[in-house]
Amino acid sequence: MRAPGVDASALAAIGGTPLVRLRTLLPPGSGDVLVKLEGGNPTGSYKDRMARAIVEGARERGDLSPGQRVVEYSGGSTGSSLAFVCAVLGHPLSIVSSDAFAQEKLDTMRALGADLTVVASDGGAITPDLFRRMREAVDRIVAARGSWWVDQFENRDALLGYAEMGREIIAQTDAAGLRIDAFCAGVGTAGMLAGVASALRALPHRVRVVALEPTESPLLTRGTTGPHHVEGIATGRIPPLLGDAHDEARAIDEAEARVLARRLAREEGIFAGTSAALNVAAALQLAAELGPGSTTVTVATDTGLKYLAGGLFRD
């Protein structure tokens, strides 16, 4: 989708990712499932869209001065994307993360120049308390180093980056002569779900938007939280960016998503992590409910290369 020629910087490589149809995993009598392959972004993650929108927005408003340090807490994908954008734009970066997240993500942040603080988890579990302690570490860095805090859970510039993803999906389905009936995605900061939903609302028909979470931490569906291992979603709080972006919420079993991640790789050639597989599991449910002739869209949020050391793809 990108124009030919020479780009001014690596930031121009963000976006323009493929939208592909599942071929083998659909049960009989289902509608189509289309998957946006965000692993094609420079850091292998959809978060590149958010990081560019947030940093460029802050620079344009004067909230972030040239050369000023940026700080955020992250499970890894946001941190990697921020490290990439800050490397291009010349900002030092401090990231607070944890050993609960993939080692590949921590290594990527360091490789791109981030100063990394690692907060110990409780046995590798992702819990609300872990995020609280990570946030406290961010506050200490901001106070000590005069940094600009990204605040990804509140920063509405993220919606602009993800709205562009929504417009890409509309253009791609229009080109194929398809009508989008449903869109589903996991909720972390909710920026992607809300941003894409804002673009889909421009369509002349109503698109069903479904917010997803693991059954192990069903805050949106049951009002309770719990430890889980699906990186990037279910942080133990209802994110402010979610607002009224969704029509319904669904919980998907983490174990089911892990099995599906392996099937996606081996049967569809879609190489992605557990959160992406959770998205596809929900999309398969929706496609079965909506039936033949329908189109459900979801997102493979990253690349499976980030999860090779953790055993996701080992039987």
Side-chain angles (χ1 to χ4, degrees), residues 156-181:
R156 298 190 65 82
D157 283 341
L159 303 179
L160 303 177
Y162 290 127
E164 180 59 31
M165 181 197 291
R167 289 189 288 271
E168 286 178 18
I169 290 169
I170 292 170
Q172 289 166 311
T173 51
D174 281 351
L178 298 172
R179 165 190 157 122
I180 305 168
D181 296 291

Side-chain angles (χ1 to χ4, degrees), residues 264-279:
L264 280 167
R266 297 169 183 175
E267 299 176 37
E268 297 279 0
I270 295 176
F271 190 34
T274 309
S275 63
L278 186 143
N279 288 348

Side-chain angles (χ1 to χ4, degrees), residues 10-124:
L11 296 182
I14 297 172
T17 55
L19 184 67
V20 302
R21 180 184 277 108
L22 291 187
R23 299 168 52 253
T24 64
L25 291 178
L26 286 171
S30 292
D32 282 335
V33 170
L34 308 181
V35 184
K36 187 78 161 149
L37 301 184
E38 288 292 291
N41 284 299
T43 74
S45 169
Y46 73 128
K47 295 284 191 177
D48 289 354
R49 298 177 185 267
M50 177 203 72
R52 180 179 63 182
I54 284 177
V55 174
E56 289 184 342
R59 284 164 58 96
E60 289 169 4
R61 288 190 300 273
D63 297 338
L64 176 62
S65 303
Q68 185 179 6
R69 179 171 293 275
V70 175
V71 63
E72 182 57 294
Y73 64 104
S74 166
S77 289
T78 293
S80 298
S81 296
L82 284 170
F84 158 61
V85 172
C86 287
V88 174
L89 296 178
H91 292 277
L93 173 69
S94 293
I95 292 291
V96 177
S97 193
S98 172
D99 59 359
F101 307 109
Q103 185 63 45
E104 295 92 329
K105 294 180 180 180
L106 304 184
D107 291 342
T108 298
M109 289 186 277
R110 289 191 179 102
L112 288 165
D115 174 17
L116 195 61
T117 299
V118 178
V119 176
S121 65
D122 182 8

